């Protein structure tokens, strides 16, 4: 389809829209994969066409919600 459009335009099909589950089920699936560490937060954001979190974003989360406790190293 991209060959049918004038450059520099391109066509990107939204597979999620074609095969979409309801938003609650999708969120639960992503959370399960994050908790199982089979998906990184950046990959989860990419599923919604969002960029990875920046250091400034992470600092804002810490400021608003409090810093997350870190695991003690053995």
């Amino acid at each position: 389809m991209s060959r049918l459009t004038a450059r520099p335009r391109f066509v990107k099909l939204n597979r999620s829209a074609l095969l979409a589950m309801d938003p609650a089920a999708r969120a639960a699936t992503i959370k399960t994969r994050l908790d199982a560490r089979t998906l990184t937060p950046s990959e989860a954001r990419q599923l919604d066409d969002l960029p990875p979190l920046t250091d400034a974003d992470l600092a804002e989360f810490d400021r608003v919600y409090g810093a997350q406790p870190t695991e003690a190293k053995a």
Side-chain angles (χ1 to χ4, degrees):
M1 290 188 86
S2 291
R3 290 182 290 207
L4 301 175
T5 62
R7 292 187 187 252
R9 295 186 179 115
F10 65 93
V11 175
K12 180 181 177 185
L13 296 177
N14 185 348
R15 293 180 303 162
S16 293
L18 297 173
L19 305 171
M21 56 180 97
D22 66 273
R26 186 171 188 271
T29 300
I30 291 172
K31 181 178 182 336
T32 298
R33 292 190 61 200
L34 287 167
D35 292 345
R37 297 182 181 205
T38 61
L39 186 72
T40 67
S42 293
E43 290 170 331
R45 291 178 58 79
Q46 189 177 26
L47 294 173
D48 288 328
D49 291 325
L50 296 171
L53 292 171
T54 64
D55 288 338
D57 293 331
L58 295 171
E60 183 177 359
F61 274 111
D62 287 347
R63 190 173 59 254
V64 172
Y65 301 109
Q68 292 292 315
T70 57
E71 294 181 24
K73 294 183 180 179

